[in-house]
Amino acid sequence: MAPIVSVENVRASYGGTVALDGVSLEIAEGSSFALLGPNGAGKTTLVNILCTLRRPQGGRALVAGNDVVRAARRARRSIGVVFQNSSLDDRLTARENLDFHGLVHGMPARQRRLHIQRVLELVALTDWEDEIVRTFSGGMRRRLEIARALMHEPKILFLDEPTVGLDAQTRQQIWEHLDRLRTERRITVLTTTHYIEEVEGADLVCIIDHGKIIAQGSPEALKEAHGRRWLQADVSDTATRQAILAHYPHAQPLGPRSIVAPVGSLEAEHLQRGPFADKVTEIRYREPTLESVFLSLTGRDLRDRTDGEKEAQLAEGRRGGHR
């Protein structure tokens, strides 16, 4: 069976900065695909290309058999998108937001009415269809955005940081809805996220860094091939963190007051009895997880953001198109 998404040697750049450097991947129909990478790795650029918001400067991308450049309109009919930043009109009701989306996609009035009821039921918002969106909680808005993305019955759902800013319980509820939708409607789901634990159950995980794919496979295969056991130490201040990093060459920074190091290169007793003992507030071991795979491959924690990295991500989003 042909893949529902096919990317062949895709390249893109902004000025002299390479965003994608010959990226190739395939996504099977009905699968759950996770795209992970540090800020500025090229995730947003790739998603924008697949959503027809940006043209690649080389290579080829097919979505549901449609070239995203030569058949962009047909490709758009096959996709639904949930952007990281809300694009709902909060002055309208839930039903009105969905109705407008259906109009944009050329759906007849009767079809729109049927689909509105169907997608609201799927995301458990039927009782709020006539409520103004500005009264909704963050979780309700996210569910409405998912409902809107499903209005025109897409084959592929693109989710760009779908649960960012939501509490843990709401994030879990969102993923329960998405898992049910994928099972019931055989929708292919491509997700980018900073919450690695949310994609532990994905069929395929792709890790991208500096515009290149550095690893891909099932979560289990990635953990077996690249997973390592890490020692994490939290310290009382940034100066101590910097001193530990200078003293132990295999240690890496993790946030402003933590370090991590592969087990074997640094052990707990080194810190408990060494010159930094009185500055270490907690020591713990991290077992092989997707997060440890990511750390091993990139040398960075996925959620370890500096202000400069946040600015770079915002700049990439502005250049790549509306998110």
Side-chain angles (χ1 to χ4, degrees), residues 2-272:
I4 197 163
V5 174
S6 177
V7 178
E8 302 173 9
N9 198 32
V10 164
R11 299 184 300 280
S13 61
Y14 301 103
T17 303
V18 176
L20 297 173
D21 189 7
V23 168
S24 298
L25 58 85
E26 292 185 346
I27 304 176
E29 183 176 3
S31 65
S32 173
F33 183 94
L35 186 62
L36 303 178
N39 295 325
K43 303 186 305 296
T44 296
T45 302
L46 179 57
V47 170
N48 282 339
I49 288 172
L50 294 176
C51 292
T52 74
L53 296 175
R54 173 185 167 84
R55 290 189 171 205
Q57 291 165 293
R60 187 184 187 207
L62 301 178
V63 172
N66 302 298
D67 190 293
V68 297
V69 175
R70 298 177 180 176
R73 183 172 297 180
R74 288 202 301 272
R76 284 194 290 270
R77 294 194 192 110
S78 302
I79 66 174
V81 185
V82 177
F83 295 102
Q84 178 177 346
N85 298 319
S86 177
S87 56
L88 296 168
D89 190 330
D90 66 2
R91 300 164 298 178
L92 303 180
T93 66
R95 179 178 52 78
E96 288 168 339
N97 269 277
L98 297 176
D99 191 57
F100 181 74
H101 183 83
L103 279 169
V104 169
H105 280 270
M107 298 171 65
R110 183 175 181 275
Q111 187 183 34
R112 294 200 307 274
R113 287 195 298 271
L114 289 173
H115 284 219
I116 286 171
Q117 294 307 311
R118 186 179 304 165
V119 297
L120 285 173
E121 184 177 347
L122 282 171
V123 298
L125 285 177
T126 302
D127 292 341
W128 289 273
E129 67 174 300
D130 292 316
E131 299 295 326
I132 300 295
V133 169
R134 67 178 51 172
T135 67
F136 283 15
S137 68
M140 291 171 69
R141 291 187 185 215
R142 267 290 182 250
R143 280 152 51 199
L144 181 58
E145 288 179 298
I146 292 168
R148 184 182 61 180
L150 296 170
M151 264 291 289
H152 57 291
E153 297 188 320
K155 297 178 180 179
I156 309 162
L157 193 59
F158 291 98
L159 306 171
D160 188 11
E161 301 281 357
T163 61
V164 68
L166 302 179
D167 61 81
Q169 183 178 4
T170 304
R171 294 205 310 267
Q172 182 178 349
Q173 291 172 349
I174 293 293
W175 282 108
E176 287 173 354
H177 283 294
L178 289 169
D179 288 341
R180 190 177 75 252
L181 289 171
R182 194 164 64 88
T183 300
E184 293 176 356
R185 302 182 64 174
R186 194 166 171 74
I187 293 174
T188 304
V189 177
L190 184 152
T191 306
T192 72
T193 181
H194 274 85
Y195 300 104
I196 294 185
E197 66 275 9
E198 293 184 341
V199 295
E200 286 276 356
D203 297 312
L204 193 67
V205 174
C206 177
I207 298 176
I208 185 171
D209 197 12
H210 300 296
K212 290 180 176 289
I213 292 175
I214 57 176
Q216 60 180 318
S218 69
E220 293 74 19
L222 289 175
K223 282 185 270 191
E224 183 175 350
H226 305 286
R228 302 178 72 177
R229 198 163 178 251
W230 291 77
L231 173 74
Q232 177 175 337
D234 301 333
V235 297
S236 58
D237 54 71
T238 303
T240 300
R241 187 200 70 162
Q242 292 304 113
I244 292 175
L245 292 174
H247 194 79
Y248 298 104
H250 294 288
Q252 299 173 19
L254 182 65
R257 296 186 179 182
S258 298
I259 63 97
V260 290
V263 171
S265 68
L266 177 62
E267 299 295 346
E269 53 266 26
H270 295 160
L271 296 174
Q272 291 168 332

